[in-house]
Amino acid sequence: QQQPQAGGCAGAPLTAAALAAAPPGVQKQMLGEKLYPMISKMQPELAGKITGMMLEMDNSELLILLESQQQMKTKVDEAMRVLNAAHP
């Protein structure tokens, strides 16, 4: 019988069940570890900042973003607009 590890395999998708099994404090860290590489492909200079912004969202919304490249791109573009508006 295998014990699921907190982070799972590095390449494995993060499932709602795996996330729910983790303590709340660890959940955001797990999500951040999956979000950051995806965001850094789109916005390498601001990946940390955008990841932080996205981690303010609900975990269920973040799981949807992780599964949909198009929705992820839309959110990253939205975050860029917010950042650009804040720093003209």
Side-chain angles (χ1 to χ4, degrees):
Q1 205 179 35
Q2 287 185 311
Q3 281 296 103
Q5 292 184 325
C9 297
L14 186 59
T15 63
L19 197 63
V26 177
Q27 291 178 3
K28 291 291 185 187
Q29 181 183 345
M30 290 168 69
L31 286 162
E33 288 170 1
K34 295 290 183 182
L35 287 167
Y36 183 83
M38 293 176 76
I39 295 168
S40 66
K41 288 178 190 164
M42 297 179 224
Q43 292 293 337
E45 308 83 31
L46 293 167
K49 182 106 178 134
I50 294 171
T51 302
M53 291 168 70
M54 288 195 182
L55 287 174
E56 301 288 317
M57 295 167 54
D58 190 65
N59 288 0
S60 59
E61 288 181 72
L62 293 172
L63 283 170
I64 292 167
L65 292 183
L66 290 173
E67 291 173 10
S68 168
Q69 190 72 32
Q70 185 56 50
Q71 287 185 304
M72 174 66 81
K73 182 175 178 353
T74 302
K75 271 296 176 200
V76 170
D77 290 346
E78 192 179 301
M80 287 303 296
R81 282 196 297 277
V82 169
L83 290 171
N84 289 332
H87 304 286

